Amino acid sequence: MSRKTMVRPGGRSARVQASVHAAVRELEAEAGREALTVPLVAARAGVTPSTIYRRWGDLQELLSDVAVERLRPETEPQDTGSLRSDLEAWAEQFLEEMSAPAGRAYIRDALLGDPDGSNAGQCSAYAAEQIGVILDRAAGREEKAPGVDTVLDRVVAPMMYRILFRPQGLDTAYARRLVAGLVGPAGR
Amino acid sequence: MSRKTMVRPGGRSARVQASVHAAVRELEAEAGREALTVPLVAARAGVTPSTIYRRWGDLQELLSDVAVERLRPETEPQDTGSLRSDLEAWAEQFLEEMSAPAGRAYIRDALLGDPDGSNAGQCSAYAAEQIGVILDRAAGREEKAPGVDTVLDRVVAPMMYRILFRPQGLDTAYARRLVAGLVGPAGR
DNA sequence: ACCTTAAAGCAAATATCTTGCTTCAAGTGT
DNA sequence: ACACTTGAAGCAAGATATTTGCTTTAAGGT
């Protein structure tokens, strides 16, 4: 979140931030990520470039903020009746979204313009939150379940690693395999 | 590797590349990563800026190339007598190096200026190579051993995930725990 | 030795980024 | 409601960085 946390809650600052974020999303869609520049975004947002430089520092930090927003999950994980199938469904969807070119770009943007690591931390927090919901549900069913950190280590981390470092040949079967290895047929 | 693969093997191109890379390393040490600019690097390397722009495209791609070089392991993994202790020793050292501020910066740089993912792929290949050596050694001792991909999923990926997304509270005990979970007291 | 050609140098034209100063408007106190 | 304070936005000039067309250099081949 770099600097945007220190804007005044309502009023002009909030409007500027909203219009700048909107401008980034519009231009990303119209012209592509490569074509973005600070002056271009500023013009579309109806703002002077120096406003963006002063609030965000540079294009990367701005893109990082926008990327984190887009990575926020918008729905609760589905309830499919068991821990294993909940995790499978969630992991498959996660992998599908994140390994698509757009998803990878957002992850990279989120990581890159992020001097203090808070944006990256936010991404991980989103995943942890979703997994927490699934595990709580499992606890409610009296299923034996691992901890959130274990799921992050065994399911989320391997997917992220491959998305970032070895983006070839990823498919949803990989997500299922990871879940199976954790909460597998053997019950463990 | 972006463009540097297409340089002529010996001669001027090679000299320019070497002196530009050296300039980056020197200036990183002297002035810090933040202070680097293309014109500055060019001046130190005794080269015109347009040479760098044409060969690397921008500063990020150049830094990415340099970062990958620095991430290349320079020694074989130690032979400590057993698969488990070999992996522990390797993972501890990996985590120590990569989670240090300099290591994190290199990883981020490597990922960042890497449109086609080949630099990131190279990082993963380095790790796979080191692990391959350890596993081959284990096979020579007739120890039961997992595959390289399993070690990447269970040991490397979780460490990388935490380095990138949750850099707080990482210590070498975490590396040992991951290895133990894979090739643990239970033998598996 | 002479060609060929990829890459480097140079310099002018653009574009981007920084910064000091001014103006605006949200929040605060009377 | 009114003026006051203050953080953020606008503006514009100057400093830097990037792109690009053309020229020159030198590696590799004949």
mmCIF file of all heavy atoms in Angstrom, chain D residues 10-25:
data_model
loop_
_atom_site.group_PDB
_atom_site.id
_atom_site.type_symbol
_atom_site.label_atom_id
_atom_site.label_comp_id
_atom_site.label_asym_id
_atom_site.label_seq_id
_atom_site.Cartn_x
_atom_site.Cartn_y
_atom_site.Cartn_z
ATOM 1 P P DG D 10 -4.451 17.953 -9.585
ATOM 2 O OP1 DG D 10 -5.700 17.877 -10.378
ATOM 3 O OP2 DG D 10 -3.374 16.952 -9.719
ATOM 4 O "O5'" DG D 10 -3.813 19.407 -9.797
ATOM 5 C "C5'" DG D 10 -4.650 20.543 -9.653
ATOM 6 C "C4'" DG D 10 -3.914 21.796 -10.079
ATOM 7 O "O4'" DG D 10 -2.838 22.040 -9.152
ATOM 8 C "C3'" DG D 10 -3.276 21.722 -11.475
ATOM 9 O "O3'" DG D 10 -3.554 22.945 -12.143
ATOM 10 C "C2'" DG D 10 -1.793 21.534 -11.184
ATOM 11 C "C1'" DG D 10 -1.642 22.283 -9.864
ATOM 12 N N9 DG D 10 -0.565 21.805 -8.996
ATOM 13 C C8 DG D 10 -0.390 20.524 -8.541
ATOM 14 N N7 DG D 10 0.648 20.397 -7.749
ATOM 15 C C5 DG D 10 1.190 21.669 -7.686
ATOM 16 C C6 DG D 10 2.332 22.139 -6.981
ATOM 17 O O6 DG D 10 3.102 21.516 -6.254
ATOM 18 N N1 DG D 10 2.531 23.503 -7.188
ATOM 19 C C2 DG D 10 1.741 24.299 -7.964
ATOM 20 N N2 DG D 10 2.100 25.579 -8.039
ATOM 21 N N3 DG D 10 0.667 23.870 -8.621
ATOM 22 C C4 DG D 10 0.457 22.542 -8.437
ATOM 23 P P DC D 11 -3.241 23.063 -13.710
ATOM 24 O OP1 DC D 11 -4.313 23.914 -14.286
ATOM 25 O OP2 DC D 11 -2.972 21.722 -14.271
ATOM 26 O "O5'" DC D 11 -1.892 23.891 -13.730
ATOM 27 C "C5'" DC D 11 -1.758 25.023 -12.883
ATOM 28 C "C4'" DC D 11 -0.334 25.561 -12.955
ATOM 29 O "O4'" DC D 11 0.493 24.908 -11.975
ATOM 30 C "C3'" DC D 11 0.360 25.363 -14.312
ATOM 31 O "O3'" DC D 11 0.918 26.601 -14.692
ATOM 32 C "C2'" DC D 11 1.417 24.291 -14.020
ATOM 33 C "C1'" DC D 11 1.741 24.608 -12.555
ATOM 34 N N1 DC D 11 2.328 23.491 -11.762
ATOM 35 C C2 DC D 11 3.419 23.761 -10.926
ATOM 36 O O2 DC D 11 3.869 24.904 -10.878
ATOM 37 N N3 DC D 11 3.941 22.754 -10.178
ATOM 38 C C4 DC D 11 3.419 21.533 -10.250
ATOM 39 N N4 DC D 11 3.954 20.566 -9.499
ATOM 40 C C5 DC D 11 2.309 21.232 -11.090
ATOM 41 C C6 DC D 11 1.785 22.244 -11.835
ATOM 42 P P DA D 12 1.316 26.905 -16.237
ATOM 43 O OP1 DA D 12 0.583 28.130 -16.606
ATOM 44 O OP2 DA D 12 1.183 25.657 -17.037
ATOM 45 O "O5'" DA D 12 2.858 27.240 -16.127
ATOM 46 C "C5'" DA D 12 3.382 27.760 -14.894
ATOM 47 C "C4'" DA D 12 4.878 27.536 -14.872
ATOM 48 O "O4'" DA D 12 5.201 26.352 -14.100
ATOM 49 C "C3'" DA D 12 5.487 27.284 -16.255
ATOM 50 O "O3'" DA D 12 6.823 27.771 -16.208
ATOM 51 C "C2'" DA D 12 5.461 25.764 -16.351
ATOM 52 C "C1'" DA D 12 5.903 25.436 -14.917
ATOM 53 N N9 DA D 12 5.591 24.080 -14.464
ATOM 54 C C8 DA D 12 4.639 23.228 -14.947
ATOM 55 N N7 DA D 12 4.618 22.061 -14.332
ATOM 56 C C5 DA D 12 5.615 22.169 -13.377
ATOM 57 C C6 DA D 12 6.093 21.292 -12.405
ATOM 58 N N6 DA D 12 5.590 20.061 -12.224
ATOM 59 N N1 DA D 12 7.103 21.711 -11.610
ATOM 60 C C2 DA D 12 7.604 22.950 -11.804
ATOM 61 N N3 DA D 12 7.235 23.876 -12.684
ATOM 62 C C4 DA D 12 6.222 23.418 -13.451
ATOM 63 P P DA D 13 7.539 28.308 -17.479
ATOM 64 O OP1 DA D 13 7.099 29.701 -17.685
ATOM 65 O OP2 DA D 13 7.406 27.302 -18.575
ATOM 66 O "O5'" DA D 13 9.039 28.321 -16.964
ATOM 67 C "C5'" DA D 13 9.293 28.562 -15.567
ATOM 68 C "C4'" DA D 13 10.491 27.760 -15.114
ATOM 69 O "O4'" DA D 13 10.071 26.415 -14.746
ATOM 70 C "C3'" DA D 13 11.554 27.584 -16.201
ATOM 71 O "O3'" DA D 13 12.816 27.665 -15.579
ATOM 72 C "C2'" DA D 13 11.268 26.181 -16.743
ATOM 73 C "C1'" DA D 13 10.839 25.465 -15.460
ATOM 74 N N9 DA D 13 9.997 24.284 -15.643
ATOM 75 C C8 DA D 13 9.060 24.054 -16.610
ATOM 76 N N7 DA D 13 8.461 22.888 -16.503
ATOM 77 C C5 DA D 13 9.046 22.314 -15.394
ATOM 78 C C6 DA D 13 8.851 21.066 -14.751
ATOM 79 N N6 DA D 13 7.965 20.166 -15.164
ATOM 80 N N1 DA D 13 9.593 20.800 -13.665
ATOM 81 C C2 DA D 13 10.484 21.723 -13.244
ATOM 82 N N3 DA D 13 10.763 22.926 -13.766
ATOM 83 C C4 DA D 13 9.995 23.156 -14.850
ATOM 84 P P DG D 14 14.114 27.753 -16.446
ATOM 85 O OP1 DG D 14 14.821 28.976 -16.019
ATOM 86 O OP2 DG D 14 13.790 27.511 -17.880
ATOM 87 O "O5'" DG D 14 14.927 26.490 -15.900
ATOM 88 C "C5'" DG D 14 14.966 26.273 -14.479
ATOM 89 C "C4'" DG D 14 15.416 24.858 -14.220
ATOM 90 O "O4'" DG D 14 14.338 23.930 -14.517
ATOM 91 C "C3'" DG D 14 16.611 24.426 -15.075
ATOM 92 O "O3'" DG D 14 17.576 23.854 -14.198
ATOM 93 C "C2'" DG D 14 16.018 23.407 -16.053
ATOM 94 C "C1'" DG D 14 14.843 22.837 -15.270
ATOM 95 N N9 DG D 14 13.735 22.324 -16.069
ATOM 96 C C8 DG D 14 13.127 22.932 -17.148
ATOM 97 N N7 DG D 14 12.152 22.225 -17.655
ATOM 98 C C5 DG D 14 12.107 21.084 -16.844
ATOM 99 C C6 DG D 14 11.239 19.952 -16.905
ATOM 100 O O6 DG D 14 10.331 19.721 -17.698
ATOM 101 N N1 DG D 14 11.538 19.026 -15.899
ATOM 102 C C2 DG D 14 12.533 19.180 -14.963
ATOM 103 N N2 DG D 14 12.670 18.204 -14.078
ATOM 104 N N3 DG D 14 13.341 20.231 -14.898
ATOM 105 C C4 DG D 14 13.068 21.141 -15.871
ATOM 106 P P DA D 15 18.949 23.333 -14.744
ATOM 107 O OP1 DA D 15 19.995 23.825 -13.824
ATOM 108 O OP2 DA D 15 19.031 23.566 -16.205
ATOM 109 O "O5'" DA D 15 18.788 21.762 -14.499
ATOM 110 C "C5'" DA D 15 18.351 21.298 -13.224
ATOM 111 C "C4'" DA D 15 18.151 19.800 -13.289
ATOM 112 O "O4'" DA D 15 16.980 19.499 -14.081
ATOM 113 C "C3'" DA D 15 19.320 19.050 -13.946
ATOM 114 O "O3'" DA D 15 19.621 17.944 -13.121
ATOM 115 C "C2'" DA D 15 18.777 18.679 -15.328
ATOM 116 C "C1'" DA D 15 17.286 18.512 -15.040
ATOM 117 N N9 DA D 15 16.398 18.729 -16.177
ATOM 118 C C8 DA D 15 16.408 19.790 -17.041
ATOM 119 N N7 DA D 15 15.465 19.724 -17.963
ATOM 120 C C5 DA D 15 14.803 18.541 -17.676
ATOM 121 C C6 DA D 15 13.704 17.899 -18.291
ATOM 122 N N6 DA D 15 13.058 18.385 -19.360
ATOM 123 N N1 DA D 15 13.295 16.725 -17.761
ATOM 124 C C2 DA D 15 13.937 16.240 -16.685
ATOM 125 N N3 DA D 15 14.983 16.753 -16.028
ATOM 126 C C4 DA D 15 15.363 17.917 -16.581
ATOM 127 P P DT D 16 20.876 17.013 -13.417
ATOM 128 O OP1 DT D 16 21.622 16.895 -12.174
ATOM 129 O OP2 DT D 16 21.548 17.457 -14.672
ATOM 130 O "O5'" DT D 16 20.186 15.605 -13.676
ATOM 131 C "C5'" DT D 16 19.054 15.566 -14.490
ATOM 132 C "C4'" DT D 16 18.466 14.172 -14.504
ATOM 133 O "O4'" DT D 16 17.317 14.266 -15.339
ATOM 134 C "C3'" DT D 16 19.372 13.128 -15.133
ATOM 135 O "O3'" DT D 16 19.070 11.861 -14.573
ATOM 136 C "C2'" DT D 16 19.046 13.241 -16.598
ATOM 137 C "C1'" DT D 16 17.554 13.645 -16.578
ATOM 138 N N1 DT D 16 17.175 14.593 -17.665
ATOM 139 C C2 DT D 16 16.072 14.289 -18.429
ATOM 140 O O2 DT D 16 15.392 13.300 -18.266
ATOM 141 N N3 DT D 16 15.805 15.195 -19.421
ATOM 142 C C4 DT D 16 16.507 16.346 -19.707
ATOM 143 O O4 DT D 16 16.148 17.084 -20.636
ATOM 144 C C5 DT D 16 17.650 16.611 -18.850
ATOM 145 C C7 DT D 16 18.472 17.847 -19.081
ATOM 146 C C6 DT D 16 17.926 15.727 -17.874
ATOM 147 P P DA D 17 19.781 10.529 -15.006
ATOM 148 O OP1 DA D 17 19.791 9.610 -13.857
ATOM 149 O OP2 DA D 17 21.017 10.840 -15.732
ATOM 150 O "O5'" DA D 17 18.732 9.980 -16.075
ATOM 151 C "C5'" DA D 17 17.401 9.765 -15.676
ATOM 152 C "C4'" DA D 17 16.576 9.390 -16.880
ATOM 153 O "O4'" DA D 17 16.539 10.490 -17.811
ATOM 154 C "C3'" DA D 17 17.095 8.185 -17.661
ATOM 155 O "O3'" DA D 17 15.987 7.354 -17.873
ATOM 156 C "C2'" DA D 17 17.624 8.803 -18.951
ATOM 157 C "C1'" DA D 17 16.681 9.976 -19.112
ATOM 158 N N9 DA D 17 17.127 11.106 -19.924
ATOM 159 C C8 DA D 17 18.208 11.906 -19.692
ATOM 160 N N7 DA D 17 18.344 12.880 -20.566
ATOM 161 C C5 DA D 17 17.276 12.698 -21.420
ATOM 162 C C6 DA D 17 16.850 13.399 -22.563
ATOM 163 N N6 DA D 17 17.484 14.463 -23.043
ATOM 164 N N1 DA D 17 15.744 12.949 -23.198
ATOM 165 C C2 DA D 17 15.108 11.882 -22.703
ATOM 166 N N3 DA D 17 15.404 11.140 -21.640
ATOM 167 C C4 DA D 17 16.516 11.613 -21.039
ATOM 168 P P DT D 18 16.198 5.878 -18.480
ATOM 169 O OP1 DT D 18 15.248 4.989 -17.790
ATOM 170 O OP2 DT D 18 17.635 5.551 -18.504
ATOM 171 O "O5'" DT D 18 15.699 6.043 -19.985
ATOM 172 C "C5'" DT D 18 14.356 6.421 -20.213
ATOM 173 C "C4'" DT D 18 14.112 6.623 -21.693
ATOM 174 O "O4'" DT D 18 14.816 7.801 -22.150
ATOM 175 C "C3'" DT D 18 14.560 5.486 -22.607
ATOM 176 O "O3'" DT D 18 13.384 5.031 -23.265
ATOM 177 C "C2'" DT D 18 15.584 6.119 -23.550
ATOM 178 C "C1'" DT D 18 15.205 7.592 -23.492
ATOM 179 N N1 DT D 18 16.275 8.604 -23.740
ATOM 180 C C2 DT D 18 16.106 9.506 -24.762
ATOM 181 O O2 DT D 18 15.139 9.503 -25.496
ATOM 182 N N3 DT D 18 17.120 10.421 -24.893
ATOM 183 C C4 DT D 18 18.261 10.520 -24.118
ATOM 184 O O4 DT D 18 19.095 11.396 -24.331
ATOM 185 C C5 DT D 18 18.381 9.553 -23.068
ATOM 186 C C7 DT D 18 19.576 9.588 -22.176
ATOM 187 C C6 DT D 18 17.394 8.649 -22.922
ATOM 188 P P DT D 19 13.437 3.886 -24.372
ATOM 189 O OP1 DT D 19 12.111 3.248 -24.394
ATOM 190 O OP2 DT D 19 14.664 3.084 -24.216
ATOM 191 O "O5'" DT D 19 13.555 4.743 -25.707
ATOM 192 C "C5'" DT D 19 12.532 5.658 -25.996
ATOM 193 C "C4'" DT D 19 12.784 6.309 -27.347
ATOM 194 O "O4'" DT D 19 13.937 7.169 -27.258
ATOM 195 C "C3'" DT D 19 13.066 5.340 -28.510
ATOM 196 O "O3'" DT D 19 12.167 5.736 -29.535
ATOM 197 C "C2'" DT D 19 14.530 5.585 -28.862
ATOM 198 C "C1'" DT D 19 14.723 7.023 -28.426
ATOM 199 N N1 DT D 19 16.073 7.469 -28.013
ATOM 200 C C2 DT D 19 16.578 8.653 -28.528
ATOM 201 O O2 DT D 19 15.986 9.337 -29.328
ATOM 202 N N3 DT D 19 17.816 9.006 -28.032
ATOM 203 C C4 DT D 19 18.578 8.312 -27.114
ATOM 204 O O4 DT D 19 19.659 8.737 -26.742
ATOM 205 C C5 DT D 19 17.986 7.085 -26.628
ATOM 206 C C7 DT D 19 18.736 6.273 -25.623
ATOM 207 C C6 DT D 19 16.785 6.728 -27.084
ATOM 208 P P DT D 20 12.058 4.828 -30.876
ATOM 209 O OP1 DT D 20 10.691 5.001 -31.359
ATOM 210 O OP2 DT D 20 12.599 3.475 -30.600
ATOM 211 O "O5'" DT D 20 13.049 5.553 -31.874
ATOM 212 C "C5'" DT D 20 13.058 6.969 -31.941
ATOM 213 C "C4'" DT D 20 14.032 7.451 -32.992
ATOM 214 O "O4'" DT D 20 15.281 7.832 -32.349
ATOM 215 C "C3'" DT D 20 14.404 6.411 -34.054
ATOM 216 O "O3'" DT D 20 14.505 7.078 -35.298
ATOM 217 C "C2'" DT D 20 15.774 5.921 -33.614
ATOM 218 C "C1'" DT D 20 16.357 7.205 -33.018
ATOM 219 N N1 DT D 20 17.416 7.004 -32.004
ATOM 220 C C2 DT D 20 18.343 7.996 -31.841
ATOM 221 O O2 DT D 20 18.352 9.022 -32.477
ATOM 222 N N3 DT D 20 19.290 7.725 -30.881
ATOM 223 C C4 DT D 20 19.382 6.600 -30.100
ATOM 224 O O4 DT D 20 20.265 6.483 -29.270
ATOM 225 C C5 DT D 20 18.362 5.599 -30.325
ATOM 226 C C7 DT D 20 18.370 4.344 -29.534
ATOM 227 C C6 DT D 20 17.441 5.851 -31.259
ATOM 228 P P DG D 21 14.280 6.222 -36.666
ATOM 229 O OP1 DG D 21 12.903 6.487 -37.111
ATOM 230 O OP2 DG D 21 14.743 4.829 -36.478
ATOM 231 O "O5'" DG D 21 15.278 6.970 -37.654
ATOM 232 C "C5'" DG D 21 15.251 8.399 -37.759
ATOM 233 C "C4'" DG D 21 16.586 8.905 -38.253
ATOM 234 O "O4'" DG D 21 17.564 8.819 -37.177
ATOM 235 C "C3'" DG D 21 17.185 8.111 -39.430
ATOM 236 O "O3'" DG D 21 17.767 9.014 -40.359
ATOM 237 C "C2'" DG D 21 18.226 7.211 -38.773
ATOM 238 C "C1'" DG D 21 18.696 8.082 -37.599
ATOM 239 N N9 DG D 21 19.177 7.340 -36.436
ATOM 240 C C8 DG D 21 18.683 6.164 -35.931
ATOM 241 N N7 DG D 21 19.325 5.742 -34.879
ATOM 242 C C5 DG D 21 20.313 6.705 -34.669
ATOM 243 C C6 DG D 21 21.304 6.787 -33.668
ATOM 244 O O6 DG D 21 21.529 6.011 -32.736
ATOM 245 N N1 DG D 21 22.096 7.932 -33.821
ATOM 246 C C2 DG D 21 21.936 8.857 -34.816
ATOM 247 N N2 DG D 21 22.786 9.878 -34.801
ATOM 248 N N3 DG D 21 21.007 8.792 -35.757
ATOM 249 C C4 DG D 21 20.230 7.692 -35.619
ATOM 250 P P DC D 22 18.385 8.515 -41.727
ATOM 251 O OP1 DC D 22 18.033 9.534 -42.736
ATOM 252 O OP2 DC D 22 18.079 7.078 -41.963
ATOM 253 O "O5'" DC D 22 19.939 8.644 -41.411
ATOM 254 C "C5'" DC D 22 20.441 9.872 -40.851
ATOM 255 C "C4'" DC D 22 21.886 9.682 -40.432
ATOM 256 O "O4'" DC D 22 21.938 8.963 -39.190
ATOM 257 C "C3'" DC D 22 22.742 8.895 -41.425
ATOM 258 O "O3'" DC D 22 23.883 9.663 -41.780
ATOM 259 C "C2'" DC D 22 23.077 7.623 -40.690
ATOM 260 C "C1'" DC D 22 23.030 8.082 -39.233
ATOM 261 N N1 DC D 22 22.797 6.976 -38.287
ATOM 262 C C2 DC D 22 23.610 6.861 -37.161
ATOM 263 O O2 DC D 22 24.481 7.710 -36.957
ATOM 264 N N3 DC D 22 23.418 5.831 -36.311
ATOM 265 C C4 DC D 22 22.460 4.924 -36.554
ATOM 266 N N4 DC D 22 22.308 3.920 -35.679
ATOM 267 C C5 DC D 22 21.622 5.019 -37.696
ATOM 268 C C6 DC D 22 21.814 6.050 -38.537
ATOM 269 P P DT D 23 25.018 9.017 -42.765
ATOM 270 O OP1 DT D 23 25.455 10.076 -43.678
ATOM 271 O OP2 DT D 23 24.555 7.706 -43.272
ATOM 272 O "O5'" DT D 23 26.199 8.763 -41.720
ATOM 273 C "C5'" DT D 23 26.548 9.797 -40.778
ATOM 274 C "C4'" DT D 23 27.696 9.306 -39.909
ATOM 275 O "O4'" DT D 23 27.207 8.290 -38.999
ATOM 276 C "C3'" DT D 23 28.843 8.675 -40.683
ATOM 277 O "O3'" DT D 23 30.080 9.121 -40.124
ATOM 278 C "C2'" DT D 23 28.638 7.182 -40.482
ATOM 279 C "C1'" DT D 23 28.029 7.145 -39.080
ATOM 280 N N1 DT D 23 27.189 5.958 -38.799
ATOM 281 C C2 DT D 23 27.423 5.239 -37.662
ATOM 282 O O2 DT D 23 28.294 5.508 -36.861
ATOM 283 N N3 DT D 23 26.585 4.165 -37.480
ATOM 284 C C4 DT D 23 25.567 3.753 -38.313
ATOM 285 O O4 DT D 23 24.885 2.773 -38.035
ATOM 286 C C5 DT D 23 25.375 4.554 -39.492
ATOM 287 C C7 DT D 23 24.296 4.184 -40.480
ATOM 288 C C6 DT D 23 26.179 5.603 -39.671
ATOM 289 P P DT D 24 31.480 8.655 -40.780
ATOM 290 O OP1 DT D 24 32.413 9.792 -40.673
ATOM 291 O OP2 DT D 24 31.219 7.987 -42.077
ATOM 292 O "O5'" DT D 24 31.953 7.554 -39.736
ATOM 293 C "C5'" DT D 24 32.137 7.926 -38.372
ATOM 294 C "C4'" DT D 24 32.499 6.689 -37.570
ATOM 295 O "O4'" DT D 24 31.402 5.760 -37.604
ATOM 296 C "C3'" DT D 24 33.731 5.927 -38.071
ATOM 297 O "O3'" DT D 24 34.625 5.833 -36.984
ATOM 298 C "C2'" DT D 24 33.187 4.579 -38.520
ATOM 299 C "C1'" DT D 24 31.911 4.445 -37.684
ATOM 300 N N1 DT D 24 30.831 3.597 -38.257
ATOM 301 C C2 DT D 24 30.361 2.541 -37.527
ATOM 302 O O2 DT D 24 30.788 2.235 -36.438
ATOM 303 N N3 DT D 24 29.342 1.837 -38.131
ATOM 304 C C4 DT D 24 28.771 2.089 -39.369
ATOM 305 O O4 DT D 24 27.853 1.387 -39.800
ATOM 306 C C5 DT D 24 29.321 3.216 -40.086
ATOM 307 C C7 DT D 24 28.781 3.576 -41.436
ATOM 308 C C6 DT D 24 30.307 3.913 -39.507
ATOM 309 P P DT D 25 36.042 5.151 -37.192
ATOM 310 O OP1 DT D 25 37.005 5.890 -36.344
ATOM 311 O OP2 DT D 25 36.295 4.950 -38.636
ATOM 312 O "O5'" DT D 25 35.823 3.727 -36.508
ATOM 313 C "C5'" DT D 25 35.373 3.676 -35.161
ATOM 314 C "C4'" DT D 25 35.093 2.238 -34.780
ATOM 315 O "O4'" DT D 25 33.974 1.747 -35.547
ATOM 316 C "C3'" DT D 25 36.259 1.280 -35.032
ATOM 317 O "O3'" DT D 25 36.505 0.607 -33.816
ATOM 318 C "C2'" DT D 25 35.750 0.357 -36.120
ATOM 319 C "C1'" DT D 25 34.241 0.404 -35.882
ATOM 320 N N1 DT D 25 33.351 0.086 -37.031
ATOM 321 C C2 DT D 25 32.384 -0.874 -36.876
ATOM 322 O O2 DT D 25 32.215 -1.500 -35.852
ATOM 323 N N3 DT D 25 31.589 -1.087 -37.980
ATOM 324 C C4 DT D 25 31.672 -0.439 -39.196
ATOM 325 O O4 DT D 25 30.903 -0.718 -40.106
ATOM 326 C C5 DT D 25 32.708 0.565 -39.296
ATOM 327 C C7 DT D 25 32.874 1.323 -40.570
ATOM 328 C C6 DT D 25 33.491 0.785 -38.217
#
